[in-house]
Amino acid sequence: MSDTINAIVAENIGGKTKGALKQLKVGDLPDHDVLVEVAYSTLNYKDGLAVSGKGKIARKLPMVCGIDLAGTVIESRSRDWQPGDRVVVNGWGLSETEWGGFAQKQRVKPEWLIRLPDAFSLDQAMAIGTAGYTAMLAVLALEHMGVVPGTKEILVTGAAGGVGSVAVAVLSGLGHQVVAATGRPDTHGFLSGLGAGGFIDRATLLEKGAPLQSERWAGAVDSVGGITLANVIAQTVSNGAVAACGLAGGMGLPGSVFPFILRGVSLLGINSVYEPRAKRELAWARLATDLPKEKLAAITAGIEPMSKLPELAEQIVAGQIRGRVVIDVNK
Ligand code: NDP
């Protein structure tokens, strides 16, 4: 087994923290119980912030970036995992407090691992990644609140991004009428192919609106935040629900309590990072049944070499990535 591995490592250089391709020794990895030979990772918005240095993600340095990994167990001190097991890790502080998936090998805690459903190959698992698993958590949260396919529409914001595109595909497959909010008209064909039945220009959600607006959405999956989220909540029907996943458009929530107290709208927070294993297994099992393979293929923007991550990181933070990019850590 080669002792040297390639990794994207965030370090502070000249007062700025950025990720760059480095070589590490296997002996440098944390002393966790399971050694995984990583096949693929992926590019999430948070990875873009970490590698480009545009957001403070790492809480200690040096930090191996990458919040996701998919690979095969090669050594284990845990009875739960054996060499040869195909596994996925999403979140658990990877790239923040724990070394992450942009590495050819990584040592992880047994309790972080999920057995990859047979339905998926390792690269398909990372085409889903945290973004897709988060989209499924949002769908589960909406279902829990009784948002089922019906006569009213569901809105997905940031629709052409990672969370958004998987949400569109899953919700439309479940029979919802999905409206996609996007700032990129050139993605309408892509989003129609995933099942979006209508579109709104994201600019219409970026202007501050009235505290209560016409009731349109039975539910929504929002990865944008800010004024967009406030408007979505104000446009949600009585007893509808909005799953808030992200902050691609801002971290504020400049709205009013009226939708909550006058319409009974529910705001559902989604935090994929520290979900318990049972919830993760449910989300992955539902992805296996509810995300059609041809749609996953359409969402996959490509498989890129790890060496290209610094460039890709800038692109995702600038909102230029459509769907999901898989990272081949061995290239
Ligand atoms: P992407 O960059 O792939 O998608 C984000 C999308 O948001 C873009 O494609 C764009 O969609 C839209 N967008 C970007 N900038 C703006 C803006 N200024 N105003 C309005 N819309 C904008 O990122 P991901 O899908 O990977 O992540 C989306 C968000 O969800 C991020 O904030 C991320 O941190 C968060 N997230 C949270 C998780 C959790 O556990 N809560 C887990 C995973 C992600 P379009 O081009 O269609 O307009």
Side-chain angles (χ1 to χ4, degrees):
M1 180 168 78
S2 169
D3 186 37
T4 304
I5 55 169
N6 294 327
I8 297 285
V9 183
E11 287 176 313
N12 193 318
I13 300 165
K16 184 124 181 84
T17 301
K18 276 194 169 197
L21 193 63
K22 289 261 151 81
Q23 290 204 319
L24 299 173
K25 300 283 182 202
V26 174
D28 297 333
L29 298 176
D31 187 29
H32 296 322
D33 286 342
V34 184
L35 179 62
V36 178
E37 183 160 52
V38 182
Y40 298 98
S41 184
T42 180
L43 176 71
N44 295 281
Y45 188 85
K46 198 176 190 176
D47 299 317
L49 294 175
V51 176
S52 68
K54 294 212 160 60
K56 193 172 177 332
I57 304 298
R59 314 256 181 83
K60 61 179 188 189
L61 298 174
M63 174 58 66
V64 176
C65 303
I67 66 173
D68 287 313
L69 64 83
T72 308
V73 173
I74 47 177
E75 284 176 18
S76 175
R77 301 189 297 245
S78 159
R79 270 189 286 171
D80 291 342
W81 301 103
Q82 277 77 47
D85 287 344
R86 292 182 335 135
V87 292
V88 173
V89 182
N90 308 115
W92 291 116
L94 263 57
S95 180
E96 298 179 67
T97 53
E98 300 283 351
W99 281 13
F102 294 157
Q104 291 176 292
K105 294 190 176 73
Q106 193 52 274
R107 283 193 181 278
V108 296
K109 292 187 182 175
E111 59 269 31
W112 297 344
L113 292 165
I114 293 289
R115 208 170 292 283
L116 182 61
D118 290 340
F120 297 121
S121 60
L122 293 169
D123 58 312
Q124 285 173 329
M126 288 295 96
I128 294 170
T130 285
Y133 145 69
T134 299
M136 184 48 89
L137 290 176
V139 172
L140 291 171
L142 291 176
E143 287 179 350
H144 186 71
M145 292 308 294
V147 179
V148 291
T151 51
K152 290 281 185 185
E153 299 159 311
I154 296 269
L155 180 67
V156 176
T157 64
V163 175
S165 55
V166 175
V168 169
V170 170
L171 287 165
S172 68
L174 290 170
H176 288 279
Q177 300 177 57
V178 181
V179 173
T182 179
R184 291 182 278 178
D186 57 309
T187 63
H188 286 191
F190 162 69
L191 291 165
S192 294
L194 298 182
F199 298 94
I200 58 172
D201 183 342
R202 80 182 194 196
T204 63
L205 295 169
L206 286 167
E207 285 170 27
K208 200 159 175 10
L212 287 175
Q213 301 170 33
S214 299
E215 296 183 42
R216 181 164 180 192
W217 317 117
V221 176
D222 175 64
S223 53
V224 174
I227 294 174
T228 296
L229 177 56
N231 280 325
V232 172
I233 294 167
Q235 295 169 5
T236 297
V237 302
S238 291
N239 300 317
V242 177
C245 310
L247 42 56
M251 65 174 85
L253 183 47
S256 96
V257 297
F258 281 177
F260 308 124
I261 64 173
L262 298 179
R263 288 184 180 162
V265 170
S266 296
L267 179 59
L268 314 172
I270 306 296
N271 176 8
S272 64
V273 179
Y274 295 110
E275 285 288 15
R277 184 189 276 185
K279 190 82 169 284
R280 291 164 184 269
E281 286 173 343
L282 173 62
W284 276 96
R286 284 288 303 272
L287 285 160
T289 54
D290 296 340
L291 178 58
K293 288 297 177 323
E294 67 279 6
K295 290 190 178 175
L296 180 58
I299 287 167
T300 311
I303 301 181
E304 298 286 358
M306 188 160 68
S307 54
K308 212 175 154 189
L309 267 169
E311 187 186 324
L312 293 165
E314 300 286 344
Q315 290 175 14
I316 194 164
V317 174
Q320 293 166 354
I321 298 285
R322 190 190 86 174
R324 304 273 302 128
V325 175
V326 176
I327 301 297
D328 185 339
V329 300
N330 295 300
K331 284 193 180 151

